Amino acid sequence: VQLQASGGGQVQAGGSLRLSCVGSGSTFSDYAMGWFRQAPGKEREFVASISWTGDLTYYEDPVKGRFTVSRDNAKNTVYLQMNSLKPEDTAVYYCAAKKHKVAIDAWEYDYWGQGTQVTVSS
């Protein structure tokens, strides 16, 4: 599956952004999806993930209550709604896909999008 992420940008602290990730080339609903991010000088970290049915979601602690992951399999798209953004959310955000069970570890994901930059100013 090929993944194309979009929706990043620059926003002030407290603002919102919605990231989208469109899948193509394979049956999108076969894949669990994850969002990861990488800030300058830091390792890539897990943000959120969602099962192929959408009934299971996981979040890293710093984004719980602020970010929401969802998917629309009819549109081959997974979303990351980000509210109450903070400067520490600044990073390149990546979507990723894996078959079967949803996961939170980057090494379990086989397919990656190109990343979209999110910059939050104070």
Side-chain angles (χ1 to χ4, degrees):
V1 62
Q2 291 81 47
L3 303 173
Q4 181 73 37
S6 62
Q10 187 164 353
V11 64
Q12 289 191 328
S16 298
L17 285 173
R18 188 176 80 157
L19 306 184
S20 299
C21 176
V22 179
S24 62
S26 191
T27 304
F28 187 74
S29 59
D30 285 347
Y31 295 87
M33 300 296 297
W35 286 98
F36 295 80
R37 64 185 180 185
Q38 188 166 19
K42 295 188 177 181
E43 293 186 352
R44 190 171 299 189
E45 64 176 3
F46 170 74
V47 176
S49 59
I50 187 167
S51 62
W52 65 274
T53 60
D55 60 342
L56 291 175
T57 57
Y58 299 92
Y59 299 92
E60 66 160 349
D61 286 344
V63 308
K64 284 181 180 177
R66 300 189 296 123
F67 290 11
T68 302
V69 60
S70 62
R71 68 189 295 159
D72 184 341
N73 287 338
K75 295 182 177 180
N76 292 350
T77 303
V78 63
Y79 304 98
L80 185 68
Q81 178 66 45
M82 306 186 294
N83 298 329
S84 302
L85 283 162
K86 304 176 180 180
E88 51 264 43
D89 294 319
T90 295
V92 177
Y93 283 71
Y94 299 88
C95 59
K98 69 178 295 290
K99 282 200 170 182
H100 309 307
K101 290 182 64 177
V102 63
I104 65 172
D105 293 311
W107 65 267
E108 294 203 56
Y109 286 81
D110 300 308
Y111 306 96
W112 291 81
Q114 85 289 0
T116 184
Q117 176 72 47
V118 171
T119 303
V120 184
S121 57
S122 57

